Amino acid sequence: MHAFRPLCRGLTLFLLAVVIVSPTPADDPPAAAPPPAPGFHAGPMLARFLAGPMAGAEEIVFAARVSGHDHWYVNFGNYSCDYGDPAKLAFSKDDQGVLWGYGEGGRLCRLNLRTGQMKVLLDDPRGGVRDPQVHYDGQKILFSHRKGGERTYHLYEIDADGANLRQLTDGPDDDIEPTYLPDGNIIFCSSRCRRFVNCWFTRVATLYKCDGDGQNVRMLSSNNDHDNTPWMLPDGRVLYMRWEYVDRSQVHFHHLWTINPDGTGQMAFFGNELGGIAMLDAKPIPGTNKVVMSSSPGHGMFEHAGPVAVVDPSRGPDVPGSSRKVSPGPEWEPWRDPYALSEDAFLVAKRVGIYLLDGQGNVELVYELPESDRHMEMHEPRPLAPRPREPVIPSRIDLSKRTGRLVLSDIYEGRGMDGVARGEIKKLLVLKQLPKPVNFSGGMEPLTIGGTFTLAEIVGEVPVAPDGSAHFDVPALQSVFFVALDENDIAVKRMHSFVTVQPGETFGCVGCHEQRNHAPHFKPELTALARPPDAIRPIDDVPRVFDFPRDIQPILDRHCVECHNADRAEGRVDLTGDKTVRYTMSYWAMLYSGLVSDGRNEPRGNRPPRSYGSAASRLLKLVDGSHHDVKVSDHERKMLRLWIDTSATYPGTYAALGCGVYNVHIPRMAMNLRCGGCHGKQIEDQHGKRFELFFPGGTASNPATLCNLSRPEKSRLLSGPLAKEAGGRGACGQPVFENTDDPLYQKLKTAIENAHRQLEEGKRFDMPGFRPNPHYLREMQRFGFLPPDLAAGVPVDPYPVDRAYWDSFDYQPPKDNVPPPREE
């Protein structure tokens, strides 16, 4: 028996092993791994990225959506009026016929780059999904979502596995492009600013901040145009794109700025003097002081497309060579949404694909939309992984204050100040850029003729100390800019940008157009700091916003019209207030006769001292007594000077936009036959080749001062070619019209009289009984400045409506310094 025990023990162990390792009929085979998503591609660059910069971040999130295909900034919000072909542009209309800048359809997706497996975290076939950002802990995703059936985007958060979707913000306006802040708050862009692009039909979004749960929304930026794509820098500042054009080109300057998370310290980062590029979607490159961005060419391509570029700001903020293109293809190659994993590794998107890009311009496709989903486009690939928090910059605001403080070290220190003697500048004229509640074109008309796109409000004046320093309080959260004035209050230098301070902020600058990477010259003491800050002195005897027909025309009537009228027109200048197709005779004369040098729409800023504005305007020299003893009063001279230095605008209300134009339908073929020999010219422009008739004071397609809609019989188009014997001016060597019975004369007269009748019936902003464009009325109703039950056809005085709209942006401290309630 003892000999048998080892054998039994061995048999028992064998049988036990068989039981453990042998499958039973009830066991299932191991589950096969799910296949990669259709469209997934695994290539050698992906393997290299996963072994290197993405070793701890093998998953990404991205958004897919139907975009609007208009300008780079038109992917949310409503249009002011009908524009283009909604079907062609993938836009949508609501039941009131209002056009919206997006199509329908959006997803938020999660893709594993090792396995190719994809999970759709959110799918909304009638909504929109955009701007995902992964939280610092890698466990949740912040994004912007427009629910199907709703019109506005709001901030949402979702767990990384697709669970626990929660809405953070709400209200009638759009919230987009959110970014987590290291203190737990969120910075984002929003159309809560309730303004329209200065040169387009669409809404603006500027910077806002809220708590991590969406509460306590607070405005940070007062920009009239877009702030875009904020993102954290490693030092705790926020990098973003700011589009602006204060008296300079509307299509050239969209550059990088920084701001502290509380809104303080707004400062140019790169490109403020580099036109012709839209610097979008900029983000830091880990381990460097460089950033990657979409260098969208020209005025920017649809949905931020363009070359991917790396920017090294250490060389200075305006050095062209500091930006290096890293993506392959031509300048118009539609890359978008770059995300830097390292200086040699980037995630990028194209219309239907997610790609890898290295620093040498090599690319590799990792995922593309299947054919069935190509009505949508790919956007915003981001690693799904934890990341370090940036340092928290302590807040420097005091919400109980209505103002912030500016300290100017030395106004004579800076670029373009050659020829300005120390002590020459005595004060600063403080101006405020006024937002537009609506807009109807890509031009500046009818605000100016080739000049500024916006109205400016006079805030007042502050002194400049003999050493060039200034120290003063300005209204918080306003876009203020300055004109440096001499002892005669004439403009020496003008600011072509704006500055915004937060409540209670103290903000300093070195000088006038200073080099941002230069330290100030050492001064033991600034004279202006030896006293309390100056309050801005209002200029009480002038309007806050000038209106040419109301404020300037009466001065011309008193001093100039006796010689410069439709009958006499000394120097071929008519300074009457007679109305033309769009402006008045006198306002056209300001441009064509070179009487005023105002802020022009040109691709430059920082002009030489005294090169434009009141210093360079002939009008002021013609009314000082030297021109036929014409001398205006001191107050009239002040009115003319300040009108010029506030950019010499025509209306004093934005209700003039989109209305008040009454065209004269000129019989072009007949005019070509009669006048083409002397006045015809073959020209070629963006509209192609054509034959155009040019006359002193206008063309056949732009009558300018040729047609007098107030007094049609005084129209130069009629009187100039008419023989003197028939009552005309006989301006042509051989009269075109021997008498008023000429059939062409009668056709022209009828066309001008028809426009005159339309003007009398339809009105212009400066005429009794005026009613603004219906789209202006709708937006002012939407914003709460006109009653919703406004009666049809009733005249509306736009001046108090505009004033209520502008005053609504005045910062109001919260009661008892309690944070403001959530916006509904």
Side-chain angles (χ1 to χ4, degrees):
M1 292 293 296
H2 294 286
F4 186 67
R5 287 178 181 173
L7 178 61
C8 293
R9 186 181 297 115
L11 182 60
T12 302
L13 292 174
F14 171 76
L15 294 173
L16 183 61
V18 170
V19 170
I20 292 173
V21 302
S22 300
T24 65
D27 288 335
D28 293 326
F40 176 72
H41 301 267
M45 187 181 290
L46 177 59
R48 177 159 58 90
F49 274 39
L50 290 174
M54 295 195 69
E58 62 187 35
E59 290 189 279
I60 63 171
V61 297
F62 64 87
R65 64 178 178 271
V66 177
S67 57
H69 295 283
D70 193 12
H71 287 309
W72 57 266
Y73 49 85
V74 183
N75 46 33
F76 72 94
N78 67 287
Y79 274 69
S80 57
C81 57
D82 285 347
Y83 166 74
D85 182 350
K88 181 178 178 181
L89 296 172
F91 294 159
S92 61
K93 275 191 174 183
D94 61 22
D95 53 7
Q96 294 181 329
V98 177
L99 197 66
W100 295 78
Y102 48 73
E104 294 187 342
R107 291 178 189 159
L108 179 65
C109 303
R110 172 178 177 170
L111 176 66
N112 189 303
L113 296 181
R114 288 195 184 276
T115 66
Q117 296 169 22
M118 190 173 75
K119 179 176 182 179
V120 177
L121 304 179
L122 179 65
D123 187 7
D124 193 334
R126 294 190 56 220
V129 176
R130 52 178 295 166
D131 316 317
Q133 196 201 46
V134 178
H135 191 267
Y136 294 102
D137 62 14
Q139 299 301 309
K140 54 188 178 182
I141 302 164
L142 177 67
F143 64 104
S144 187
H145 175 38
R146 180 182 56 80
K147 285 184 177 179
E150 296 184 0
R151 286 294 168 187
T152 51
Y153 281 92
H154 293 297
L155 304 189
Y156 282 75
E157 203 171 44
I158 195 171
D159 292 349
D161 62 0
N164 197 21
L165 175 67
R166 48 208 175 271
Q167 183 174 348
L168 304 182
T169 60
D170 53 21
D173 304 301
D174 292 273
D175 302 323
I176 59 173
E177 299 175 344
T179 293
Y180 285 116
L181 296 174
D183 62 1
N185 293 322
I186 296 168
I187 192 169
F188 61 103
C189 297
S190 180
S191 64
R192 296 166 189 254
C193 59
R194 297 190 175 180
R195 57 199 67 183
F196 276 71
V197 175
N198 289 341
C199 62
W200 203 236
F201 306 83
T202 52
R203 295 281 294 274
V204 165
T206 64
L207 293 177
Y208 280 74
K209 180 182 179 180
C210 67
D211 298 343
D213 61 358
Q215 300 290 321
N216 298 319
V217 175
R218 188 172 76 82
M219 189 180 198
L220 300 183
S221 167
S222 62
N223 196 356
N224 269 21
D225 286 289
H226 284 276
D227 300 316
N228 205 267
T229 54
W231 203 271
M232 291 301 300
L233 287 171
D235 62 7
R237 293 178 298 161
V238 179
L239 179 69
Y240 69 103
M241 188 224 73
R242 173 162 134 172
W243 178 23
E244 60 170 63
Y245 44 101
V246 179
D247 293 343
R248 59 177 179 168
S249 169
Q250 85 272 28
V251 297
H252 279 79
F253 300 101
H254 341 67
H255 38 276
L256 299 181
W257 282 64
T258 60
I259 189 173
N260 295 329
D262 65 349
T264 60
Q266 296 185 26
M267 182 69 67
F269 180 81
F270 181 75
N272 190 34
E273 294 293 323
L274 304 179
I277 302 171
M279 302 177 181
L280 297 157
D281 293 293
K283 302 174 187 66
I285 299 175
T288 76
N289 66 344
K290 303 174 184 178
V291 300
V292 64
M293 69 177 182
S294 175
S295 183
S296 201
H299 184 35
M301 295 171 64
F302 302 145
E303 290 288 1
H304 303 190
V308 176
V310 170
V311 173
D312 183 356
S314 63
R315 300 178 59 192
D318 295 309
V319 179
S322 297
S323 177
R324 179 177 63 91
K325 177 176 174 287
V326 295
S327 57
E331 289 297 314
W332 296 92
E333 190 75 11
W335 302 102
R336 60 170 69 134
D337 302 319
Y339 186 101
L341 305 162
S342 72
E343 197 169 357
D344 192 42
F346 307 92
L347 291 168
V348 292
K350 253 187 180 179
R351 195 180 69 81
V352 296
I354 302 293
Y355 292 78
L356 305 177
L357 166 69
D358 67 17
Q360 291 72 50
N362 301 305
V363 294
E364 182 177 281
L365 177 67
V366 293
Y367 177 75
E368 61 182 334
L369 286 168
E371 290 289 340
S372 59
D373 291 333
R374 292 196 175 182
H375 60 291
M376 296 193 290
E377 298 185 6
M378 305 292 281
H379 290 273
E380 301 121 3
R382 323 280 199 224
L384 182 59
R387 56 192 174 90
R389 289 179 186 261
E390 301 81 14
V392 175
I393 298 177
S395 180
R396 297 191 287 116
I397 65 172
D398 182 349
L399 294 180
S400 67
K401 305 290 187 183
R402 294 178 182 270
T403 61
R405 187 161 297 170
L406 289 175
V407 178
L408 170 64
S409 174
D410 186 354
I411 198 168
Y412 305 102
E413 176 67 26
R415 296 169 290 180
M417 295 298 289
D418 295 340
V420 181
R422 286 202 163 269
E424 185 174 351
I425 296 173
K426 303 300 183 182
K427 65 178 73 168
L428 293 177
L429 174 65
V430 183
L431 304 176
K432 179 168 64 174
Q433 197 179 27
L434 294 173
K436 278 183 173 176
V438 72
N439 202 51
F440 302 106
S441 80
M444 67 292 293
E445 302 87 0
L447 295 183
T448 58
I449 304 170
T452 185
F453 285 76
T454 57
L455 299 174
E457 178 177 326
I458 297 174
V459 183
E461 298 173 331
V462 292
V464 174
D467 66 346
S469 62
H471 178 209
F472 54 100
D473 290 338
V474 295
L477 288 169
Q478 298 287 347
S479 297
V480 295
F481 59 108
F482 312 107
V483 181
L485 305 177
D486 66 12
E487 62 183 356
N488 297 314
D489 292 336
I490 295 298
V492 177
K493 192 76 173 176
R494 184 185 180 91
M495 185 174 176
H496 291 269
S497 183
F498 67 89
V499 63
T500 300
V501 294
Q502 300 297 308
E505 175 187 5
T506 297
F507 184 74
C509 56
V510 175
C512 188
H513 301 278
E514 78 226 35
Q515 291 278 7
R516 293 296 190 181
N517 59 341
H518 286 188
H521 293 299
F522 174 74
K523 288 186 177 182
E525 182 178 289
L526 299 180
T527 303
L529 289 179
R531 60 177 186 262
D534 293 301
I536 297 175
R537 296 191 298 263
I539 307 176
D540 293 326
D541 58 347
V542 301
R544 292 163 67 182
V545 180
F546 273 92
D547 185 282
F548 182 85
R550 182 192 66 202
D551 304 317
I552 303 303
Q553 187 61 51
I555 301 175
L556 303 180
D557 290 342
R558 287 191 291 269
H559 298 280
C560 308
V561 166
E562 181 180 352
C563 297
H564 300 285
N565 55 59
D567 296 318
R568 190 169 174 182
E570 295 286 346
R572 290 187 174 181
V573 175
D574 183 347
L575 292 178
T576 65
D578 287 354
K579 290 179 171 55
T580 66
V581 168
R582 189 186 291 270
Y583 301 98
T584 61
M585 291 291 177
S586 52
Y587 192 78
W588 275 112
M590 296 297 159
L591 175 70
Y592 282 138
S593 302
L595 300 180
V596 165
S597 175
D598 64 341
R600 310 309 297 166
N601 180 35
E602 298 174 349
R604 61 172 180 162
N606 193 12
R607 305 179 196 198
R610 301 183 180 274
S611 62
Y612 83 117
S614 56
S617 293
R618 291 177 56 229
L619 180 62
L620 292 183
K621 297 176 176 61
L622 294 173
V623 295
D624 64 1
S626 61
H627 176 67
H628 299 288
D629 298 323
V630 175
K631 188 171 184 178
V632 298
S633 70
D634 289 344
H635 182 259
E636 289 172 325
R637 182 177 180 83
K638 178 194 281 191
M639 293 279 285
L640 293 172
R641 172 181 62 82
L642 288 171
W643 170 69
I644 294 169
D645 284 335
T646 54
S647 297
T649 53
Y650 175 53
T653 170
Y654 285 132
L657 298 167
C659 59
V661 180
Y662 301 96
N663 290 313
V664 176
H665 299 288
I666 295 174
R668 297 286 295 275
M669 186 170 294
M671 289 288 291
N672 288 348
L673 292 173
R674 294 280 193 100
C675 307
C678 295
H679 296 279
K681 184 178 180 182
Q682 193 77 26
I683 64 171
E684 184 175 2
D685 56 17
Q686 67 269 27
H687 304 294
K689 293 182 178 180
R690 70 178 190 277
F691 187 77
E692 182 65 273
L693 296 178
F694 289 85
F695 305 97
T699 67
S701 58
N702 178 15
T705 63
L706 300 177
C707 300
N708 189 325
L709 302 197
S710 296
R711 297 180 292 168
E713 70 279 4
K714 300 293 184 181
S715 295
R716 297 171 67 185
L717 197 60
L718 297 176
S719 63
L722 182 64
K724 288 184 178 180
E725 295 78 10
R729 291 190 294 114
C732 300
Q734 181 70 28
V736 175
F737 306 131
E738 296 288 349
N739 54 59
T740 58
D741 294 330
D742 187 292
L744 180 55
Y745 180 96
Q746 288 297 319
K747 284 184 179 180
L748 291 173
K749 181 173 180 288
T750 299
I752 297 171
E753 288 174 341
N754 286 339
H756 164 75
R757 283 191 291 271
Q758 292 174 26
L759 172 65
E760 291 297 313
E761 294 170 3
K763 312 297 183 185
R764 197 172 284 173
F765 68 94
D766 59 334
M767 297 172 66
F770 171 70
R771 183 179 173 92
N773 184 304
H775 302 291
Y776 170 94
L777 299 176
R778 183 195 66 239
E779 295 302 322
M780 282 303 200
Q781 287 174 312
R782 177 180 297 179
F783 296 158
F785 301 104
L786 282 174
D789 57 350
L790 186 67
V794 174
V796 173
D797 184 352
Y799 295 93
V801 180
D802 272 2
R803 174 47 56 193
Y805 167 73
W806 295 327
D807 288 349
S808 71
F809 299 111
D810 292 346
Y811 174 72
Q812 301 295 330
K815 293 182 180 179
D816 302 321
N817 206 24
V818 176
R822 179 175 181 166
E823 292 190 8
E824 297 298 335

